[in-house]
Amino acid sequence: MNFQQIILTLQNFWAEQKCVVVQPYDVEKGAGTLNPMTFLRSIGPEPWNVAYVEPSRRPADGRYGENPNRLYQHHQFQVIMKPSPDNIQELYLESLKRLGVDPLEHDIRFVEDNWEHPGLGAWGLGWEVWLDGMEVTQFTYFQQVGGIETNPVAVEITYGLERLASYIQAKENVFELEWVDGITYGDVFLQPEYEHSKYTFETSDVPMLFQLFNTYEEEARKTMDQNLVFPAYDYVLKCSHTFNLLDARGAISVTERTGYITRVRNLSRQIAATYLAEREKLGFPMLKKGDV
Amino acid sequence: MTRDLLLEIGMEEVPARFLRSSMDQLKDRVMKWLSEARIEFGEVEAYATPRRIAVLIHQVAEKQQDINEEVKGPSRKIALDDSGNWSKAALGFARSQGVDPEQFYFKELSGVEYIYANKSSAGVETASVLSEGLMHCISSMNFPKNMRWGAYDFKFVRPIRWMVALFGTDIIPLEICGVTASNVTRGHRFLGQETVVSEPTEYVAKLREQFVVADLEEREQLILAQINALADEKQWKIAIKEDLLEEVLFLVEYPNVLFGTFDPSFLEIPQEVLITSMREHQRYFPVLDASGQLLPFFVTVRNGNRHAIDTVAKGNEKVLRARLSDAKFFYDEDQNFPIADALAKLETIVFHEELGTVGDKVRRIRAISDKLAARMQADADTSKLVSRTADICKFDLVTQMVYEFPELQGVMGEDYARKAGEPVQVAAAINEHYQPRFSGDHSPASLIGAIVSIADKMDTIVGCFSIGIIPTGSADPYALRRQAAGIVQIILDHKLPINLTELFDMAMDIHGSAQLLKRNRDEIRIDLCDFFALRVKNVFTDKVRYDVVDAVMASGFDHLVSVVARGTQLMKVVSEQSDFKVTIESFNRVSNLASKADSIEINASKFVESVEHDLFNQHQAVHAKYHEALQAGDMAAALEQLSGLQDAITAYFDKVMVMAEDADVRANRLAQLHAIAEDLKLFADFSKIVWA
C-alpha cells in the first residue's frame, strides 16, 4: 500500500465513522493537535468528530534529509471524536486492519503514554500504540485544553504516517517510501528537507525571528481584544512556529525558554476561554436538541 | 449457606505500573466492605491483566450475621425529664439505635444508673445488599492518575468497558458509565472472544480458554520458564531486571517469549547505552555471554501466541535498528564536541533560579573540592586530578546521549573523557562523583571521586537549605535526603577524618562569597545538623539498638567515623557483658552529681578519704590513655579505659559523702567527679542506655 493509499484509506474509514474530513490547516504548526479543528473544537459541550492529515513541522528534528527516520516535516493523520465513543479502541484497530495490518500476524499493544503540552495548557491520558515494538500512534483522552476541563472528553488519535508506512512497505529509509507508483517520498520531500534544515540551523535571520515573535504576539493580543478568536489563534500558531525556529537555532537560552513558553501559554489560555464564551453566545449551535 | 462471589472490572489497557496496586485495592475494598456488612467469607483471590482487575471470594455467606448487642445510653438523670418522661436525649438515643423506648432498662455502672437497650436485628440477604456495596467499592477506588472519558462524570484509572459480577450463578446488578454488569467476560483482544462465566470459580479456566492467563504467578512463571528455556538452548545469560519483569508481566495477557538480533557493529557503543536503549525504550531483556559480555541479541515478550512470530521479531529488530542508529549517531557526534565547548554551554543552563547556572555550580564544586583535598592533605598529583575532575564533572550533561538517556550521566562522561585523552583517574572520577546513585549503591572507589562527590552533594544541600528548600514529609524534589545519606556513606567508607560542620562551613563560605546565602549562617547550620542527624542514625539501622545510638549521638556525630565506631563498640559491650550495667550505673552516678559542680579545680590536698586519692590517681592514669585511644579511633581501648574506673568509683561512693557540709570539701569532690564526667561525655551519654 503506498503512502497516498494509506491516507485515502484512513480518510474513508473515519468518514464512515461520521467524522468531518477537513483539509490540512494552512498555518505552520508542530502537530495536528495545534490545528484549531482540534485545539479549539475540543473545548466546550458541542459534539465534534473530525479527521484530517496534518503536515507537522519540527524544525529541531531536521537532519538535512540524511537521517532515515528524522524529518523537519512529517505527516500526521489526526482523528478527534467528542464525546469519545465507547468502542474507540475497536474502531482504531479496525482502521489498522483496513491498512492491511492483521493483529493476529503482529504484536499490538497499548503502552501507557500521557501527553502534555505546556504551551497549550493541555494534557491528557492514554497510550502510544506499539506495532511489533514500533510506536505508530498516539492515543489520548484530553482532560484539559487551554486550561479548561474538557466536558465531554474528546479522544485524539494521531497516526504517525511515515512510521506506519515504513512498516507497511517494509522500508528502512523514509525517503524510499512509495508515495504513489513510481514516485518516492524522497522525490517529493528530500529537497525541502535539506533546504529547511539548512535554513533552520544556518541561515535564518535570528533578530528578524525575535522581532516576528513579538509582532505576532502583539497582533494576537490586539485581535483577541476584538474577540476574534480564529485570527488571534493563527497568530499564536505563528508565535509557536517562530519560537520553534529560534529554539532549533539555539538562540533561546534555557532560562529564556520558560519565559517564551509562558507567553504562548497565556495567549492560548485566553483564546480558549474566549472561544468558549463566543460559542456560548452563539448558543452552542452544534448541540442538538436534547443534548444539553 | 454460602456462594462464591466474582467481580471483574474490564477496562481499556491500564498502565502497567498501576495494575498490582489497583488489584490489591479492589480486593481490600471488597473484603473491608464485606466485613463491615457482617457478611462472612472464606478465601480471597485477586487477578490482574492489562485489561482487567478481578476479585474472587469463596464461600460468601448468603445472609448477614444478625446483630444482638446491648447498647448503653445516657444516664438516668439525663434520660428522664422532671415529670419522669423520656427526655429528648433518651428519645434521640432510641431513634439512633432503632430501638423502642419501651424496651429501655436501667443498669448501674460505676455507681451511676444508665439506660440500656437490647439491639437486635436479623441480618438481611447478602444478595440484597451486594449491588450497593460493590458499587461503593468501585466508585471509591482511587489511583495515582485518574481520568474522565466520554460524557460521563466519573473518574477511574482508564475507561471501564465491561463488568462481570456474580454471586453464585446470579448476576449482581451494577451499572457504571453505561456499562451493565453481566456474566460475559472478554478474552484476549485478538486471539480470544467473549465468553460466559456461569459461576465464579470458572473464571480463571474460562479466561485461559480465551488466551488470557489471569493469575499473576502463573503468568510470571510462564514468562520465566520460556526465558530460561531459551537461555539454556542458546547458552545465553538473559539479564532479568525485577522491575522490567514486573512491567512486562502487566503488559501481556498471554505471554510468548521471542528473541531478535541486531548488527554486531553496534557493540562498539558502550554496553550501558545499548542496555538502556533496549530496556527503557523497548522493554527488551538484554542477552549476555557467560562472561557477562553483551551479545547482539535481545529477548522480548509478545502479547499473543507463536503465530507469525518471525514477523514480530523482524518488526522489533527494525525498531531497535533505528534506535541504535540514533544512539550511534549521538555517540559519534558527541565525540566531535570538545569538552571545552560543552563547559561553555553549561553556563547557559539554569541549575536553580536562585543558585545560578550549572556553570556556577561547577565553579562551586571546584572550590569546595580544592578545600577538601587540602584538608585531606592530598598530595600534589591527587590535588591536580581533583581540580580537573571538578572542572569537567558535569560536561556530559549537554551531550546528545545524556539528553536522550539522562540516567547515563557520568557513564558517558567517563567514556567521552577517556576518549578525549583526559587522565584515566579523572575519567573514572567523573562517573564516580554521582555515586552512590541509589540506596545500596557503592561509594566512589577513588579518593578523587569521593572528594568531588561530597563537594557536589554538599553544594546542592547547602544551596537548597540557604534558599529555604528543606525536605519535609514526602516533599524532597532535589533528593537532598539521598545526597546527604550519600555523603555520610562516602565519609564512612573512605574513613575520612573530617567533621560534618567543617564541610558545612566550606560550602557556606563559598555560597557566602557568591552572595548566595539567603538565610543566617547559624540557622542554616542548625537545620543542616538536624537533617544530617537523621541520616547518621540510619547508618546504624538494625545493627545497633536505638538507645545506644541516642547515647553515642548525644556525644556528637560531627566526626562520623568516631560516632559509628563508638556506637558499634558500645553495642558490643552492652550486649556481651552482662555486668556492664553496673559500670554504667556508676558512670551515671558520677555524671548526675558532676552536673552540680561549680568549680573545675581539683586540689588533691583537700581530699579527706584515701578512696578520694585512689579515684584521683586512677583517673589520672586512665585519662591520657583514654584520650590517646579516642584519637587513634580505637574505641574498644577507649571504652576499656573508662571501664577501668568502675572499681575506684564504686569504692569512692561507698566511703564518700560527696555533698559534704564543708563547702570546700564538697566543691573539690564535685570538681573531681566533673573531670571524670567530662571524659565520659566524650564517648556517650550513658544515661540514655535502657536496661530491659
Side-chain angles (χ1 to χ4, degrees):
Chain A
M1 191 176 276
N2 64 39
F3 205 90
Q4 191 160 300
Q5 284 163 337
I6 292 174
I7 291 174
L8 295 173
T9 304
L10 289 174
Q11 279 189 351
N12 285 332
F13 177 81
W14 290 103
E16 287 164 26
Q17 316 311 322
K18 308 265 186 297
C19 285
V20 179
V21 175
V22 298
Q23 300 308 307
Y25 197 63
D26 61 350
V27 179
E28 312 94 317
K29 70 196 76 58
T33 310
L34 275 73
N35 186 318
M37 295 293 170
T38 290
F39 178 72
L40 293 176
R41 299 279 182 180
S42 296
I43 298 165
E46 296 168 278
W48 178 245
N49 299 313
V50 69
Y52 54 88
V53 177
E54 193 68 61
S56 305
R57 295 181 189 229
R58 305 253 166 104
D61 284 349
R63 291 290 183 275
Y64 298 84
E66 289 167 5
N67 186 297
N69 303 305
R70 286 191 189 233
L71 296 167
Y72 167 91
Q73 180 193 265
H74 70 289
H75 295 81
Q76 300 180 338
F77 190 90
Q78 170 91 352
V79 180
I80 291 288
M81 297 190 92
K82 178 175 78 166
S84 62
D86 288 349
N87 63 340
I88 187 65
Q89 282 186 308
E90 284 72 22
L91 289 178
Y92 168 73
L93 292 167
E94 188 57 36
S95 77
L96 288 188
K97 282 189 201 162
R98 293 279 186 97
L99 294 174
V101 178
D102 176 359
L104 292 174
E105 305 276 327
H106 298 279
D107 187 19
I108 297 176
R109 311 245 196 108
F110 291 82
V111 179
E112 181 194 13
D113 189 34
N114 303 321
W115 172 84
E116 192 186 9
H117 194 305
L120 293 181
W123 66 276
L125 298 185
W127 313 272
E128 46 188 44
V129 182
W130 284 15
L131 174 60
D132 298 338
M134 180 189 286
E135 182 198 342
V136 289
T137 303
Q138 277 285 139
F139 207 115
T140 309
Y141 287 93
F142 287 153
Q143 303 292 302
Q144 214 181 61
V145 176
I148 297 169
E149 292 270 303
T150 52
N151 185 20
V153 171
V155 63
E156 178 195 59
I157 299 176
T158 305
Y159 301 78
L161 288 177
E162 282 83 357
R163 292 213 184 169
L164 206 49
S166 79
Y167 200 90
I168 291 169
Q169 297 183 16
K171 292 276 163 56
E172 291 288 324
N173 187 329
V174 64
F175 296 104
E176 288 164 14
L177 289 174
E178 194 177 64
W179 190 278
V180 285
D181 215 10
I183 296 183
T184 65
Y185 192 94
D187 291 335
V188 186
F189 287 109
L190 186 57
Q191 187 189 348
E193 274 298 318
Y194 172 79
E195 292 184 359
H196 275 303
S197 302
K198 189 163 175 73
Y199 172 76
T200 301
F201 298 122
E202 298 175 35
T203 76
S204 63
D205 182 341
V206 171
M208 181 210 68
L209 289 173
F210 274 118
Q211 200 188 324
L212 278 183
F213 186 94
N214 292 331
T215 307
Y216 291 148
E217 187 190 24
E218 201 189 325
E219 189 67 358
R221 207 174 294 288
K222 275 198 255 167
T223 311
M224 205 141 45
D225 290 343
Q226 306 295 316
N227 287 347
L228 299 173
V229 178
F230 282 87
Y233 186 64
D234 283 355
Y235 283 106
V236 173
L237 290 180
K238 285 179 174 298
C239 278
S240 167
H241 177 62
T242 310
F243 168 81
N244 288 343
L245 282 173
L246 285 164
D247 198 28
R249 190 71 196 275
I252 296 179
S253 77
V254 179
T255 335
E256 292 168 320
R257 222 169 171 273
T258 341
Y260 279 95
I261 290 176
T262 309
R263 281 159 75 180
V264 176
R265 179 173 54 219
N266 291 342
L267 284 171
S268 309
R269 278 176 185 263
Q270 242 181 306
I271 287 181
T274 314
Y275 170 79
L276 188 58
E278 289 298 307
R279 294 303 287 181
E280 195 170 8
K281 269 191 221 160
L282 295 172
F284 295 124
M286 295 188 71
L287 272 184
K288 291 183 206 81
K289 274 186 187 143
D291 275 357
V292 190
Chain B
M1 299 297 275
T2 66
R3 291 191 233 169
D4 300 328
L5 174 70
L6 172 68
L7 174 63
E8 179 194 49
I9 306 174
M11 289 160 284
E12 297 185 356
E13 279 76 355
V14 177
R17 62 199 171 111
F18 301 153
L19 265 167
R20 190 182 286 276
S21 59
S22 302
M23 174 188 85
D24 290 341
Q25 189 187 158
L26 178 69
K27 176 179 147 185
D28 292 345
R29 283 187 190 275
V30 174
M31 284 167 67
K32 182 164 176 262
W33 174 75
L34 285 171
S35 305
E36 283 170 3
R38 306 185 317 279
I39 300 169
E40 293 187 324
F41 57 91
E43 270 181 53
V44 182
E45 286 156 87
Y47 305 99
T49 78
R51 293 217 292 163
R52 71 201 80 225
I53 51 177
V55 56
L56 168 59
I57 304 175
H58 296 271
Q59 294 167 315
V60 176
E62 291 194 323
K63 262 186 72 182
Q64 285 180 310
Q65 280 181 303
D66 298 337
I67 296 180
N68 223 331
E69 58 180 342
E70 184 178 59
V71 286
K72 171 173 156 277
S75 68
R76 181 184 198 121
K77 241 164 93 184
I78 293 170
L80 294 172
D81 64 18
D82 294 342
S83 38
N85 296 318
W86 294 120
S87 67
K88 274 188 182 166
L91 294 173
F93 169 66
R95 222 176 10 254
S96 71
Q97 296 295 331
V99 292
D100 189 336
E102 293 292 303
Q103 294 168 355
F104 284 161
Y105 52 92
F106 293 99
K107 234 170 71 175
E108 206 184 282
L109 182 72
S110 324
V112 183
E113 265 195 302
Y114 293 91
I115 51 171
Y116 279 82
N118 273 319
K119 192 171 133 183
S120 66
S121 66
V124 300
E125 295 287 325
T126 300
S128 70
V129 291
L130 271 177
S131 287
E132 199 189 328
L134 294 184
M135 281 294 284
H136 172 74
C137 290
I138 298 170
S139 57
S140 60
M141 284 184 82
N142 47 55
F143 307 93
K145 276 196 161 127
N146 297 293
M147 64 171 283
R148 293 174 297 113
W149 65 95
Y152 307 108
D153 183 24
F154 186 77
K155 284 185 175 180
F156 214 63
V157 61
R158 279 294 183 272
I160 299 175
R161 292 307 179 206
W162 79 89
M163 287 188 291
V164 174
L166 286 177
F167 188 44
T169 53
D170 295 345
I171 294 167
I172 305 162
L174 299 179
E175 205 199 312
I176 292 174
C177 298
V179 174
T180 309
S182 71
N183 59 0
V184 179
T185 185
R186 298 191 193 171
H188 185 275
R189 201 181 256 296
F190 308 118
L191 298 168
Q193 280 161 356
E194 292 194 340
T195 186
V196 172
V197 180
S198 35
E199 56 109 8
T201 50
E202 280 186 10
Y203 180 66
V204 172
K206 280 289 184 133
L207 278 178
R208 198 181 288 114
E209 285 172 18
Q210 299 303 324
F211 303 94
V212 173
V213 182
D215 186 74
L216 295 187
E217 240 163 81
E218 186 184 345
R219 208 157 70 235
E220 183 169 332
Q221 284 316 311
L222 269 175
I223 296 172
L224 287 174
Q226 292 180 63
I227 290 181
N228 291 335
L230 185 63
D232 282 350
E233 184 199 324
K234 303 275 182 188
Q235 298 290 303
W236 288 342
K237 256 177 68 186
I238 299 171
I240 299 173
K241 227 177 144 199
E242 280 299 314
D243 51 352
L244 180 62
L245 179 65
E246 171 86 359
E247 186 179 0
V248 168
L249 178 65
F250 288 112
L251 285 175
V252 296
E253 297 200 305
Y254 194 71
N256 255 296
V257 169
L258 63 131
F259 75 93
T261 177
F262 59 85
D263 191 327
S265 70
F266 286 123
L267 292 171
E268 289 165 20
I269 309 172
Q271 284 203 7
E272 289 91 344
V273 175
L274 300 175
I275 290 174
T276 305
S277 183
M278 285 192 269
R279 270 190 188 142
E280 306 299 321
H281 286 156
Q282 298 299 133
R283 277 76 157 179
Y284 296 157
F285 297 96
V287 175
L288 311 168
D289 67 13
S291 68
Q293 283 299 304
L294 194 68
L295 293 171
F297 299 98
F298 62 90
V299 169
T300 184
V301 185
R302 178 194 199 180
N303 180 27
N305 59 13
R306 302 203 73 80
H307 172 71
I309 205 140
D310 290 345
T311 313
V312 178
K314 283 218 174 63
N316 278 283
E317 286 173 358
K318 181 181 157 76
V319 181
L320 186 61
R321 191 152 55 235
R323 291 245 183 238
L324 297 186
S325 301
D326 268 0
K328 179 93 172 57
F329 175 79
F330 297 147
Y331 190 57
D332 293 343
E333 286 282 293
D334 284 346
Q335 288 175 57
N336 294 325
F337 186 45
I339 292 177
D341 293 4
L343 295 180
K345 211 166 166 188
L346 293 178
E347 304 294 338
T348 66
I349 297 179
V350 175
F351 166 61
H352 184 283
E353 275 181 351
E354 294 176 66
L355 299 171
T357 65
V358 177
D360 295 328
K361 182 178 182 24
V362 166
R363 275 183 288 279
R364 296 196 297 267
I365 296 174
R366 162 78 194 262
I368 300 170
S369 299
D370 284 350
K371 280 193 181 188
L372 191 51
R375 174 69 180 72
M376 293 296 111
Q377 297 171 332
D379 58 44
D381 283 349
T382 307
S383 300
K384 253 172 84 181
L385 294 169
V386 164
S387 300
R388 181 62 184 162
T389 304
D391 281 342
I392 66 171
C393 64
K394 301 292 182 192
F395 87 92
D396 65 345
L397 293 184
V398 290
T399 60
Q400 299 198 52
M401 193 71 89
V402 174
Y403 180 81
E404 200 71 10
F405 301 104
E407 62 271 47
L408 291 179
Q409 61 180 13
V411 174
M412 295 323 298
E414 175 173 4
D415 189 271
Y416 293 150
R418 194 167 286 164
K419 289 212 155 68
E422 293 292 332
V424 284
Q425 300 98 314
V426 170
I430 290 172
N431 193 4
E432 287 173 353
H433 98 278
Y434 285 107
Q435 293 169 342
R437 291 172 195 255
F438 48 89
S439 156
D441 191 19
H442 44 77
S443 293
S446 73
L447 179 64
I448 303 165
I451 287 174
V452 179
S453 178
I454 291 174
D456 178 25
K457 293 174 173 66
M458 196 50 96
D459 173 74
T460 305
I461 294 168
V462 166
C464 286
F465 271 57
S466 85
I467 57 170
I469 301 176
I470 300 172
T472 51
S474 61
D476 184 10
Y478 293 84
L480 300 183
R481 290 193 184 100
R482 184 173 55 74
Q483 300 198 56
I487 292 175
V488 169
Q489 183 187 329
I490 295 168
I491 291 177
L492 291 173
D493 286 351
H494 280 266
K495 301 204 166 31
L496 298 181
I498 186 152
N499 290 327
L500 278 175
T501 44
E502 287 180 73
L503 289 173
F504 299 161
D505 284 329
M506 284 180 193
M508 281 197 287
D509 287 347
I510 283 149
H511 279 81
S513 54
Q515 265 80 52
L516 291 175
L517 280 188
K518 304 287 157 73
R519 296 167 61 218
N520 173 293
R521 255 180 107 107
D522 294 331
E523 282 174 23
I524 299 175
R525 197 181 290 108
I526 289 168
D527 286 342
L528 286 168
C529 281
D530 289 349
F531 183 64
F532 271 84
L534 290 171
R535 315 279 92 73
V536 177
K537 274 190 187 181
N538 286 342
V539 170
F540 292 102
T541 54
D542 31 340
K543 294 186 292 274
V544 180
R545 249 166 44 193
Y546 72 93
D547 56 325
V548 174
V549 173
D550 285 345
V552 292
M553 296 264 301
S555 295
F557 57 90
D558 206 11
H559 196 292
L560 291 171
V561 179
S562 160
V563 73
V564 170
R566 282 183 281 127
T568 312
Q569 182 58 31
L570 185 55
M571 184 66 218
K572 190 166 141 71
V573 173
V574 163
S575 57
E576 286 174 8
Q577 298 179 16
S578 54
D579 56 348
F580 195 66
K581 183 179 177 187
V582 185
T583 308
I584 286 188
E585 281 165 356
S586 71
F587 289 171
N588 290 344
R589 277 183 85 180
V590 170
S591 300
N592 284 338
L593 284 164
S595 62
K596 298 188 168 66
D598 294 321
S599 150
I600 56 164
E601 228 161 291
I602 308 169
N603 188 344
S605 64
K606 289 190 182 160
F607 288 149
V608 180
E609 308 281 348
S610 66
V611 285
E612 290 186 75
H613 287 286
D614 293 346
L615 182 61
F616 178 78
N617 293 335
Q618 183 66 18
H619 180 234
Q620 289 294 308
V622 161
H623 180 79
K625 285 186 206 152
Y626 171 62
H627 280 262
E628 251 170 57
L630 281 182
Q631 279 297 316
D634 185 350
M635 299 306 169
L639 192 55
E640 207 175 287
Q641 289 298 329
L642 288 183
S643 306
L645 288 168
Q646 190 215 314
D647 288 344
I649 295 171
T650 311
Y652 181 87
F653 283 124
D654 280 350
K655 284 273 161 56
V656 170
M657 166 73 176
V658 176
M659 302 307 273
E661 282 186 22
D662 183 322
D664 277 357
V665 173
R666 188 171 67 222
N668 199 41
R669 286 177 179 169
L670 287 172
Q672 168 71 72
L673 295 180
H674 180 265
I676 298 171
E678 286 299 299
D679 277 348
L680 295 173
K681 241 190 334 200
L682 293 175
F683 199 96
D685 177 351
F686 292 98
S687 70
K688 292 201 184 288
I689 306 285
V690 180
W691 300 96

